[in-house]
Amino acid sequence: MKRYLKIIVLLLMLIYQGVSQAQIKVGIQAGIGRSWLHSPSYSNFKDAGSYTVGLTTSISLKNNFSIVSGLQYQVLKARRSQLNFTKNGQFDSGSDPVLTQTEYITLPISGRYTFKIKKKPSLYLEGGGYLSYLMSFKNSGKTSYDYPSKDIEYYEDLDKYKRLTLGVSGGGGFLIRTHIEIGLKYNVAFTSLNDENINFKNLQFLMSYYF
């Protein structure tokens, strides 16, 4: 983890040196999508809705290149089928899905190339990475010890999980006007949430407005 943080710091230093004369735009961003958990140990994870809101910034460089970053609040969810809760909050086999919901503060950094077309929306492609900090982890589902089953929620002890997540991302979209853009972005975490090698993947539809 320390090695990855050093790489991020180095990239930020290089970005700072390269954008001293660049044009910088700041705006707001929001998006919806689907997210899911992945693990080599489990096969019953299903996708669920997710959303993102936050600030975005675009730093224009030369030759249609730019750097895109920001600060986002993300809610990522996933479903796990055929489980119920026991009295101590553990999972037991059952007939109902369990919904996992996490909250993150995320710092994305991507390099972007824009294919500028006169009088038409401009296409862009981008790729990079992100650093996320886990703020909450909640499981919700139905009990296995009541009849009929009752809805219940458990907030997990965050000390059982790795709070920092590093990942890679890629995507593309269109610049509708100089201050409006829409796009798709695919994110994959390559650090796990815990010792079971569970991590999140998510696909986002994003809309940004620059001031």
Side-chain angles (χ1 to χ4, degrees), residues 143-194:
T143 60
S144 63
Y145 50 88
D146 289 308
Y147 185 80
S149 296
K150 297 180 180 178
D151 294 327
I152 194 168
E153 294 181 347
Y154 279 101
Y155 281 89
E156 297 279 353
D157 182 2
L158 294 181
D159 291 336
K160 299 189 303 183
Y161 298 93
K162 299 174 183 178
R163 304 293 292 272
L164 288 177
T165 297
L166 290 171
V168 294
S169 61
F174 292 94
L175 303 176
I176 306 300
R177 297 181 180 178
T178 57
H179 57 281
I180 299 176
E181 66 180 40
I182 59 173
L184 286 174
K185 198 170 187 180
Y186 181 59
N187 304 295
V188 180
F190 59 79
T191 56
S192 59
L193 275 167
N194 56 20

Side-chain angles (χ1 to χ4, degrees), residues 1-19 67 107 109 131 166:
M1 181 65 73
K2 291 182 179 180
R3 181 182 62 182
Y4 296 135
L5 291 176
K6 288 180 180 179
I7 293 174
I8 291 174
V9 172
L10 178 60
L11 288 175
L12 290 174
M13 292 174 63
L14 293 174
I15 291 170
Y16 176 78
Q17 292 176 2
V19 303
I67 295 171
L107 173 67
I109 301 176
L131 174 67
L166 290 171

Side-chain angles (χ1 to χ4, degrees), residues 56-59 66-70 108-112 126 181 210:
T56 183
T57 181
S58 175
I59 305 170
S66 60
I67 295 171
V68 181
S69 186
I109 301 176
S110 295
R112 174 183 290 185
E126 67 178 42
E181 66 180 40
Y210 290 96

Side-chain angles (χ1 to χ4, degrees), residues 16-17 32 46 52-53 79 87 93 115 142 150 162 181 188:
Y16 176 78
Q17 292 176 2
I32 58 174
K46 307 295 182 182
T52 299
V53 293
R79 293 186 183 276
K87 288 187 177 181
S93 60
F115 302 88
K142 292 185 178 294
K150 297 180 180 178
K162 299 174 183 178
E181 66 180 40
V188 180

